[in-house]
Amino acid sequence: MSSENAALSSRKLTGYEFYHRILGSPKYVVAPMVDQSELAWRIFSRRHGAHVAYTPMINSKHYSAVKNKGFREANFSILNKEEGNPKIDRPLIVQFCGNDPDQLLKSAKLLEDHCDAVDLNLGCPQDIAKRGNYGAFLQDDWDLIYRIINTLHLNLKIPVTAKFRVFPTVEKTVEYAKMLERAGAQILTCHGRTREQRGVLAASFPFIVLSVTNSSCSNNQGLADWSKIKAIKEAVSVPVFANGNILYFSDVAACLEATGADAVMSAEGNLYNPAIFRPGLLSLANSEEKEADSSPNEHEPQPKHIPDNPSTKTSPRLDMGGTRKFLSEHLPIADLALEYLEIVKQLKTPTEWSAIKGHLFKVLRPGFVKHTDLRDRLGKIPSPKAKPN
């Protein structure tokens, strides 16, 4: 280990130093999703362009309980030595929810050696979060949020980050973000919807033809407000990840341009299209036509890339009328589904049947529109009694 690397490993990196040196200057991020951003899906998503992935939300009240070892293994398996493994599951951020600083710290301490950062969920708008007083329902108690983040910031070996929702006004949203930064959050992920918005567009995502590139309007439709994310980015000094309205690859660039954010996080878009962070043929052709007019900045840190899976390499480039293109950048949905299932099969860490089934329904949804019999058959498949060899 070089003297520089030894020095880095002996201290906790913060802000942009953490973003560049540990996370690798990521642009494409897989969101924390309950029962959906599990280990197999994280590996799968990284193969198809994601730079960083979050675990599903983990309830710190249960995870910190001494007697609840079964819950711990089910939510993050340490025994199998796969989750958080630097060879297959990094960069990784573990997300916790909760309202008790001590419980959150105890839970985070258990996993700080198995991830790159710990995230506090301040964005869940569901009724279960309201009953448990966590997620977006903590946003009315800024003192408590400050104490939670500051406790983690001062006592963990790794950074703490926060994912949150906006308030109705940009002024209160910005003040909220600045408070999170003062408390010690080293990355702020802003979901541009309010607590009351549940993301109407997501339900019909695959069949929306209109690309969402101007999202500061139509609040009654559940659209995320990118203008508030932009205001946050201009007001804080730590990296900002933007979340909301990412339906297609073209929306990623539009969001980065509109908000100035350091990265874009995708949830529903990633679930329906795990290759959402890979450009299609038209995007590739347009970008390559500009190569002669632009050159990369060699001083700017570039994102780390997970090595390609040999079985999923893209087709070779061909010269087509002077413009280079890929024959097929994205695999057919059936091939994507089979690749995901192969990852599930190869892992020692079990994948919940509910997660597997949920992923298949979403990835294969375009095909199920025509082949409704296959959709019905998948729905009737019972949970296997044992993981196949």
Side-chain angles (χ1 to χ4, degrees):
M1 179 182 294
S2 67
S3 58
E4 181 183 4
N5 289 337
L8 290 176
S9 64
S10 64
R11 64 184 177 87
K12 179 168 67 176
L13 301 186
T14 58
Y16 277 100
E17 193 174 17
F18 167 68
Y19 170 79
H20 290 310
R21 293 182 177 269
I22 302 300
L23 298 186
S25 308
K27 294 297 181 187
Y28 309 145
V29 182
V30 175
M33 296 175 284
V34 174
D35 203 32
Q36 296 284 264
S37 61
E38 84 289 350
L39 175 61
W41 191 259
R42 297 195 299 266
I43 293 173
F44 183 44
S45 295
R46 290 191 190 97
R47 285 184 181 180
H48 290 279
H51 298 148
V52 174
Y54 284 60
T55 67
M57 178 188 72
I58 301 173
N59 190 309
S60 62
K61 179 179 180 180
H62 301 309
Y63 201 84
S64 63
V66 177
K67 297 180 181 180
N68 217 335
K69 294 182 179 179
F71 179 86
R72 289 181 186 175
E73 274 299 297
N75 281 267
F76 193 102
S77 175
I78 294 177
L79 295 178
N80 288 311
K81 299 180 179 181
E82 291 176 327
E83 296 208 67
N85 186 312
K87 294 182 179 180
I88 63 171
D89 193 27
R90 295 291 183 97
L92 176 68
I93 297 179
V94 172
Q95 188 186 73
F96 285 104
C97 70
N99 56 31
D100 185 308
D102 294 331
Q103 287 179 346
L104 280 156
L105 178 60
K106 183 176 181 180
S107 295
K109 278 288 185 184
L110 292 169
L111 294 181
E112 67 178 342
D113 291 327
H114 303 278
C115 61
D116 297 298
V118 166
D119 186 74
L120 177 63
N121 183 321
L122 295 172
C124 182
Q126 304 303 323
D127 291 339
I128 189 172
K130 185 176 183 179
R131 293 193 297 270
N133 190 34
Y134 61 79
F137 297 93
L138 286 182
Q139 69 180 33
D140 299 320
D141 193 341
W142 290 23
D143 289 339
L144 174 58
I145 291 174
Y146 185 97
R147 284 192 288 114
I148 290 173
I149 292 178
N150 197 244
T151 296
L152 299 177
H153 173 59
L154 295 177
N155 293 282
L156 291 176
K157 296 186 293 186
I158 58 176
V160 57
T161 66
K163 183 175 186 291
F164 60 98
R165 288 183 172 238
V166 300
F167 285 87
T169 68
V170 66
E171 292 80 10
K172 190 169 184 179
T173 298
V174 168
E175 286 305 310
Y176 185 50
K178 290 166 68 175
M179 179 274 292
L180 299 176
E181 181 184 22
R182 288 195 302 272
Q186 301 305 312
I187 292 178
L188 299 178
T189 299
C190 179
H191 186 150
R193 294 184 176 90
T194 64
R195 184 169 62 190
E196 291 71 33
Q197 292 175 293
R198 301 290 182 96
V200 176
L201 288 177
S204 56
F205 156 72
F207 308 106
I208 296 175
V209 178
L210 180 63
S211 179
V212 182
T213 57
N214 182 2
S215 56
S216 60
C217 58
S218 303
N219 287 337
N220 60 334
Q221 295 182 20
L223 291 176
D225 189 342
W226 287 352
S227 67
K228 289 177 181 174
I229 301 177
K230 182 177 187 291
I232 290 171
K233 173 61 182 173
E234 293 173 347
V236 301
S237 59
V238 296
V240 173
F241 293 175
N243 181 214
N245 301 348
I246 306 302
L247 308 183
Y248 309 102
F249 181 78
S250 59
D251 293 326
V252 174
C255 181
L256 290 172
E257 181 178 1
T259 63
D262 299 281
V264 166
M265 174 183 284
S266 175
E268 291 289 326
N270 165 257
L271 293 179
Y272 285 102
N273 177 14
I276 191 171
F277 292 130
R278 295 173 66 174
L281 295 178
L282 183 58
S283 298
L284 284 168
N286 291 339
S287 64
E288 290 180 351
E289 287 174 357
K290 299 178 182 178
E291 284 182 354
D293 299 323
S294 62
S295 58
N297 183 351
E298 61 182 7
H299 301 293
E300 181 180 351
Q302 298 299 311
K304 295 177 181 178
H305 295 284
I306 303 301
D308 287 333
N309 174 17
S311 65
T312 60
K313 285 187 177 292
T314 56
S315 302
R317 293 175 181 264
L318 294 180
D319 188 344
M320 300 175 66
T323 301
R324 294 176 299 162
K325 295 181 180 180
F326 283 102
L327 277 178
S328 178
E329 173 65 7
H330 297 160
L331 294 174
I333 57 174
D335 289 351
L336 288 170
L338 289 171
E339 182 188 350
Y340 166 71
L341 291 175
E342 185 61 29
I343 294 172
V344 170
K345 183 178 179 181
Q346 291 175 359
L347 289 172
K348 292 185 295 183
T349 304
T351 303
E352 291 291 331
W353 176 236
S354 57
I356 297 173
K357 211 168 183 179
H359 286 311
L360 293 179
F361 271 119
K362 290 180 176 67
V363 172
L364 297 173
R365 183 173 176 176
F368 288 155
V369 173
K370 179 178 180 180
H371 303 285
T372 56
D373 59 317
L374 296 180
R375 180 191 61 201
D376 295 339
R377 287 170 63 184
L378 175 61
K380 294 176 181 178
I381 297 176
S383 173
K385 295 182 180 179
K387 184 170 178 270
N389 296 323

